[in-house]
């Protein structure tokens, strides 16, 4: 990998080869007739939607899904040519964005279909069916209401989809629930089609679904987290993500190095207390960049000079203290790695997720706009 020379205080390096590898691997799992529709919502899970979408387009990816119309508009303005599916709610006042940027809106339920009807202008839509998650989607049993969507003159339905919510459990109950969701979805689609409703494409799989239940098929696989080379939890990653390669590294510049004496405190509320004469490095990244505050006071670590060092005291908004006493040489301008490799050591996004008591998706998608993003390799 070519070493980039970022100018910023804190930055993200994206490994192009890893992204290509993941795309190729996930494509190899696709059931017949199914294509990748990468999820690039929340700035491509923090990776940088423009960079990721451009690279995936080069690999022949032609469709994307996003959470909001604004995300879709940005993607289109950035040059994405194919279908862009907005998975979430778009306020009626923002519907012109859908037209202007040729976005496909999800019909989140039948009441929303009426809002889209009131808009009166032509819109492309996909209908979301609720098969048990009870988040977005019209309940799949409501066939008459669903059928009425197809009669709305200004809507052109290009597909229908549902979302699995027990996809990440390997327990029999999770499997049963997933298969029941699939049956309910297929059944509703079949009944609608038999009543003359045209549904060109149907889809059901996200990352967990594609890795565990590729046989469920569909026209698109709405893959997010796996494409970025990780999965929500360590158990998931160990069971189903062995072939994935992490795309993102998170790094920051060391701004200053100083000695504190045994017994002295450091940081807000003096939450770090030196048990010995200590060397502290100030790294220029904080919770304002998405580094979780829960990593403070030794819960999390960074890699400096190939050595794993604890986070000392509280994470600040723009900075964090590292106890680098055990690192032979540290100077301002050196790099601290918060996610990624350094020497023989590695910190994975899933490590941060565990330390912060959340899932990898949340750690990544919170990485903020101040971070410079560089695609390398
Ligand atoms: C976010 C999202 C996806 C992608 O999920 P991953 O688990 O990251 O692959 C797919 N479908 C819907 C409806 C989503 O909200």
């Amino acid at each position: 990998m070519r070493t980039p020379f970022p100018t910023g205080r804190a930055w993200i390096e994206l490994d192009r080869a890893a992204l290509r590898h993941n795309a190729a691997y996930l494509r190899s799992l696709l059931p017949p007739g199914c294509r990748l529709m990468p999820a690039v919502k929340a700035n491509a899970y923090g990776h940088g939607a423009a960079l990721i979408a451009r690279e995936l387009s080069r690999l022949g990816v032609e469709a994307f899904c996003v959470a909001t119309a604004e995300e879709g508009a940005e993607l289109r303005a950035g040059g994405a040519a194919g279908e862009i599916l907005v998975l979430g709610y778009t306020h009626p006042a923002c519907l012109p964005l859908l037209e202007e940027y040729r976005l496909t809106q999800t019909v989140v339920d039948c009441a929303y279909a009426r809002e889209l009807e009131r808009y009166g202008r032509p819109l492309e839509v996909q209908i979301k069916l609720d098969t048990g998650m009870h988040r977005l989607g019209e309940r799949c049993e409501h066939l008459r209401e669903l059928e009425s969507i197809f009669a709305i003159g200004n809507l052109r339905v290009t597909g229908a989809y549902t979302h699995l919510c027990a996809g990440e459990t390997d327990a029999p109950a999770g499997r049963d629930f997933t298969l029941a969701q699939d049956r309910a979805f297929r059944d509703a689609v079949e009944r609608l089609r038999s009543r003359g409703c045209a549904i060109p494409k149907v889809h059901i799989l996200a990352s967990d679904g594609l890795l565990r239940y590729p046989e469920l098929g569909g026209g698109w696989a709405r893959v997010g987290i796996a494409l970025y080379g990780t999965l929500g939890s360590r158990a998931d990653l160990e069971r189903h993500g062995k072939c994935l390669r992490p795309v993102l590294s998170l790094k920051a510049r060391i701004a200053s190095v100083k000695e504190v004496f045994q017994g002295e405190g450091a940081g807000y509320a003096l939450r770090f207390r030196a048990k010995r004469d200590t060397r502290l490095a100030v790294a220029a990244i904080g919770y304002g960049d998405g580094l979780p505050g829960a990593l403070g006071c030794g819960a999390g670590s960074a890699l400096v000079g190939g050595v794993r060092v604890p986070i000392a005291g509280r994470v600040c908004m723009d900075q964090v203290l590292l106890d680098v006493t055990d690192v032979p040489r540290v100077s301002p301008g050196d790099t601290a790695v918060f996610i990624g490799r350094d020497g023989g050591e590695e910190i994975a996004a899933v490590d941060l997720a565990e330390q912060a008591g959340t899932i990898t998706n949340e750690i990544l998608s919170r990485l903020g706009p101040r971070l410079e993003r560089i695609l390398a390799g």
Side-chain angles (χ1 to χ4, degrees), residues 197-351:
C197 302
I199 309 176
K201 278 210 176 188
V202 297
H203 45 114
I204 188 163
L205 301 174
S207 293
D208 288 318
L210 179 60
L211 291 167
R212 288 174 165 80
Y213 307 97
E215 69 278 5
L216 300 188
W220 298 114
R222 306 182 306 270
V223 177
I225 192 71
L227 201 51
Y228 306 110
T230 184
L231 291 175
S233 71
R234 187 180 310 284
D236 264 7
L237 198 54
E238 283 175 357
R239 235 169 289 144
H240 299 282
K242 284 251 188 289
C243 297
L244 300 170
R245 283 166 49 185
V247 172
L248 176 144
S249 298
L250 175 65
K251 303 185 179 181
R253 200 69 77 186
I254 288 174
S256 175
V257 182
K258 63 161 51 78
E259 312 287 336
V260 299
F261 300 110
Q262 183 178 4
E264 283 187 312
Y268 284 119
L270 300 176
R271 284 294 300 277
F272 177 74
R273 194 55 75 173
K275 294 197 178 70
R276 55 177 175 169
D277 289 350
T278 296
R279 200 150 16 105
L280 291 179
V282 186
I285 185 171
Y287 61 76
D289 301 291
L291 190 71
L295 302 189
C297 302
S301 52
L303 306 176
V304 175
V307 180
R308 191 177 294 262
V309 301
I311 289 177
R314 282 201 192 153
V315 176
C316 308
M317 189 183 292
D318 318 305
Q319 287 146 109
V320 65
L321 298 173
L322 303 173
D323 180 346
V324 294
T325 314
D326 297 327
V327 187
R329 266 186 315 278
V330 188
S331 315
D334 286 356
T335 297
V337 177
F338 290 84
I339 299 174
R341 290 174 185 280
D342 190 10
E345 294 279 351
E346 178 173 14
I347 297 174
V350 72
D351 296 330

Side-chain angles (χ1 to χ4, degrees), residues 37-41 45 65-67 85 87-88 106 128 133 135-136 161-164 203-210 221-228 230-232 361:
M37 181 191 256
V40 293
K41 57 192 181 182
Y45 295 45
C65 50
V66 294
L85 173 62
L87 298 168
T106 294
K128 180 119 184 234
M133 184 173 189
R135 194 177 60 175
L136 291 183
Y161 70 99
T162 193
H163 195 47
L164 301 175
H203 45 114
I204 188 163
L205 301 174
S207 293
D208 288 318
L210 179 60
R222 306 182 306 270
V223 177
I225 192 71
L227 201 51
Y228 306 110
T230 184
L231 291 175
N361 313 41

